[in-house]
Amino acid sequence: MVIIGVVAQNTAPTGATVYQQCQGCHQTTGQGIPGAFPPLAGNVQAILAAKGGRAYLIHVVLYGLQGPIKVKGQTYNGAMPAFAQLSDNQAAAVLNHVSTSWGNKLPQGQKAFTAAEVKAQRAKKLTPAQVAAERQKLGLR
């Protein structure tokens, strides 16, 4: 007997599987869509290297992002929806995926995202505009 569409509750999510929800905008290659959706490829490690960058990335996933941002010299002024419906494990998995794919790597001394780290940030309850303001403080270009 084959059961389709049922996944065991204790199965750890893979970041690549969770990322399928993101690839419509950021593309399977992480390159985004110029002028519409920013690239993740070659960009995430710069965010991680900035003081407060790890928390900011968690906030983007959990709370979304709204307002103008600049990525690799190009301005984007769209809205990313919140993905608060992801479990802490799923959010950590997708963050680890984008942090280690498409030329990104964790900065020296940083470890993989954990569900506990996501859970701690989930308690902050930010708006997408507050997340955008947080990005401005990181000094990213």
Side-chain angles (χ1 to χ4, degrees):
M1 180 167 90
V2 176
I3 300 175
I4 298 173
V6 176
V7 178
Q9 291 297 321
N10 61 356
T11 301
T14 67
T17 300
V18 179
Y19 183 75
Q20 289 175 0
Q21 297 177 60
C22 313
Q23 66 190 15
C25 296
H26 294 290
Q27 305 299 291
T28 58
T29 60
Q31 293 297 318
I33 298 174
F37 304 109
L40 300 174
N43 181 45
V44 174
Q45 67 189 38
I47 297 169
L48 288 170
K51 184 178 179 181
R54 284 179 73 89
Y56 164 74
L57 284 175
I58 295 170
H59 297 161
V60 170
V61 170
L62 294 179
Y63 307 117
L65 178 68
Q66 184 173 2
I69 64 169
K70 193 170 266 194
V71 177
K72 297 183 176 183
Q74 183 166 2
T75 300
Y76 296 85
N77 193 7
M80 178 174 153
F83 285 90
Q85 75 276 11
L86 295 176
S87 71
D88 296 337
N89 283 330
Q90 289 172 318
V94 77
L95 286 161
N96 287 321
H97 177 71
V98 300
S99 298
T100 58
S101 298
W102 319 296
N104 294 318
K105 61 182 179 178
L106 292 168
Q108 187 172 356
Q110 284 195 26
K111 296 182 179 181
F113 287 90
T114 66
E117 187 177 10
V118 172
K119 182 178 181 177
Q121 294 301 323
R122 192 182 291 275
K124 299 206 181 206
K125 308 292 185 208
L126 302 173
T127 67
Q130 288 172 314
V131 176
E134 185 179 12
R135 181 184 176 90
Q136 297 303 319
K137 293 177 185 173
L138 296 178
L140 302 169
R141 305 266 173 238

